[in-house]
Amino acid sequence: MVDHRISLTRYLVEQQRVHGHIPSELRLLLEVVARACKRISFAVNKGELGDVMGSAGTENVQGEVQKKLDIIANETLIEANEWGGHLAAMASEEMEGIYVVPNRYPQGEYLLMFDPLDGSSNIDVNVSIGTIFSVLKKPEGHPGVHDNDFLQPGNCQVAAGYCIYGPQTTLVLTVGDGVAMFTLDREQGSFVLTRENVRIPEDTKEFAINMSNVRHWDAPVKRYIDECLAGEDGPRGKNFNMRWIASMVADVHRILCRGGIFMYPWDKREPRKPGKLRLMYEANPMGWLVEQAGGAATNGRQRILDIQPTQLHERVSVILGSKNEVERVTGYHAEA
Ligand code: AHM
Ligand code: MG
């Protein structure tokens, strides 16, 4: 815990004025995103007391059934950002096309991408869920906004983070100057800095993967997990523990707090699909946060942040967390 109370607002002002890391427009945009997350947190908290649980009876562009909270969170983020003036457009896991912010002059400079409610399968069972976001600069040189403007690799992100709605609501952020965590003080209604310079240990004894897919995995992933499972008697010479929350925000949050490796790799169930998770809304922001905390993120062959996206809803294989473990799995792919 940081000694004296520093609000998210003050942290962002310092990032702007003292450290010169962010322009004021980006600061204001992040404030708006944080405000939207606060609203989503209150909706999540109401649970069955509010009309927020269960299925909405609709499907998103990827054919996944939408929960009411998926839609509420998506609308909350759009409404909050629509009139801010700092954004040119938004893209969401829950919307087919981009959402261009209604005409204004001058046009906002930024593009916002989000997974409004990550971990949808956990909504109805009171397990941690979250919002993941990523900010890009709109390319200059042409009026209006096009889908292609979003197709920038993760190394172009200017801000990224998530807000986890768990026992506490915690907003985790990077603007390229390390990772900071802010806990929501419900009485004060503000996010308070609770951890700075978050570091992920380079080694770990904890892995996160959906083990029910073991028969579908590729050989390098199977080799890595088999070696972990062999424990003290195996080639790793140590026992491993396993966690799988099925909310990426919660699994990544644990890794930022105490280390570990998270994998949602390509598998043979749908061989033409590169993975389950989305590059723009999940892998890029989480990959950057993890790297900013000293970890690593790859798709097994390539650094996530260097992947050139070709479509908005592109999927990707994800391996991220403690550096030495991620490098080991990536090395197994290279050998295979
Ligand atoms: P969502 O964005 O629709 O919630 O899906 C993404 C989630 C991740 O949070 C999580 O890591 C993964 O899907 C869990 O998938 P599975 O149910 O296959 O284990
Ligand atoms: Mg998600």
Side-chain angles (χ1 to χ4, degrees):
M1 169 77 183
V2 178
D3 293 349
H4 40 280
R5 283 171 77 99
I6 297 175
S7 66
L8 174 66
T9 301
R10 176 167 157 200
Y11 176 87
L12 291 173
V13 167
E14 284 175 5
Q15 286 293 324
Q16 181 201 331
R17 299 209 185 126
V18 184
H19 308 294
H21 282 127
I22 53 169
S24 64
E25 293 76 21
L26 181 54
R27 169 172 67 83
L28 294 169
L29 164 57
L30 293 171
E31 290 266 20
V32 175
V33 171
R35 212 176 305 139
C37 289
K38 216 187 291 176
R39 273 186 216 143
I40 298 169
S41 170
F42 291 135
V44 167
N45 260 228
K46 283 210 175 109
E48 298 197 70
L49 299 177
D51 186 22
V52 300
M53 307 292 272
S55 166
T58 49
E59 283 187 355
N60 67 11
V61 53
Q62 292 137 102
E64 296 157 343
V65 175
Q66 288 179 304
K67 297 287 179 72
K68 282 186 193 160
L69 261 178
D70 287 321
I71 295 176
I72 294 169
N74 195 60
E75 283 172 359
T76 304
L77 279 152
I78 290 191
E79 274 166 27
N81 283 286
E82 207 170 25
W83 304 109
H86 324 290
L87 267 189
M90 297 173 243
S92 159
E93 190 178 302
E94 299 300 334
M95 297 190 295
E96 184 161 1
I98 64 170
Y99 181 94
V100 178
V101 172
N103 268 348
R104 66 177 64 251
Y105 186 82
Q107 188 184 42
E109 288 176 61
Y110 293 100
L111 305 172
L112 175 67
M113 281 155 293
F114 46 84
D115 176 355
L117 222 286
D118 176 64
S120 306
S121 71
N122 283 323
I123 292 174
D124 294 335
V125 291
N126 204 354
V127 170
S128 297
I129 48 184
T131 297
I132 312 173
F133 59 91
S134 158
V135 184
L136 292 168
K137 200 100 205 273
K138 181 184 116 57
E140 287 168 8
H142 59 267
V145 200
H146 311 294
D147 280 27
N148 285 352
D149 293 337
F150 284 85
L151 303 184
Q152 304 178 38
N155 58 37
C156 294
Q157 292 172 104
V158 293
Y162 62 83
C163 188
I164 179 168
Y165 314 116
Q168 300 98 44
T169 287
T170 305
L171 190 130
V172 180
L173 176 71
T174 185
V175 290
D177 180 34
V179 176
M181 297 186 176
F182 304 84
T183 305
L184 180 62
D185 180 334
R186 284 179 186 277
E187 278 122 58
Q188 303 290 330
S190 59
F191 283 104
V192 178
L193 181 65
T194 37
R195 283 187 71 175
E196 258 185 306
N197 301 321
V198 173
R199 300 305 290 170
I200 300 175
E202 290 188 354
D203 294 295
T204 182
K205 292 177 168 181
E206 202 160 59
F207 65 84
I209 191 165
N210 185 336
M211 288 292 291
S212 70
N213 297 325
V214 58
R215 69 190 186 284
H216 307 297
W217 293 340
D218 208 4
V221 174
K222 181 136 192 336
R223 173 182 170 193
Y224 175 77
I225 296 295
D226 280 348
E227 289 180 2
C228 292
L229 294 175
E232 261 172 11
D233 308 326
R236 301 301 307 276
K238 58 181 183 180
N239 294 327
F240 279 76
N241 189 15
M242 193 207 87
R243 288 285 184 274
W244 184 251
I245 301 173
S247 287
M248 189 192 199
V249 274
D251 280 311
V252 169
H253 193 69
R254 183 188 60 254
I255 289 171
L256 283 170
C257 291
R258 68 175 189 211
I261 180 168
F262 168 95
M263 293 189 268
Y264 211 122
W266 170 89
D267 68 43
K268 293 172 198 144
R269 279 175 296 174
E270 290 179 81
R272 296 229 305 259
K273 223 158 103 174
K276 175 182 180 182
L277 300 176
R278 265 85 13 159
L279 178 60
M280 311 297 277
Y281 318 111
E282 288 158 336
N284 273 343
M286 293 310 206
W288 196 30
L289 283 166
V290 165
E291 282 197 5
Q292 281 288 313
T298 76
N299 66 358
R301 303 184 185 277
Q302 190 186 4
R303 182 182 175 222
I304 295 273
L305 298 189
D306 288 336
I307 297 173
Q308 172 61 52
T310 57
Q311 41 178 315
L312 208 51
H313 298 295
E314 184 162 328
R315 296 185 190 249
V316 65
S317 179
V318 176
I319 298 161
L320 58 75
S322 291
K323 197 159 188 259
N324 292 338
E325 296 299 309
V326 173
E327 282 173 2
R328 176 180 285 269
V329 187
T330 308
Y332 288 0
H333 281 81
E335 283 173 36

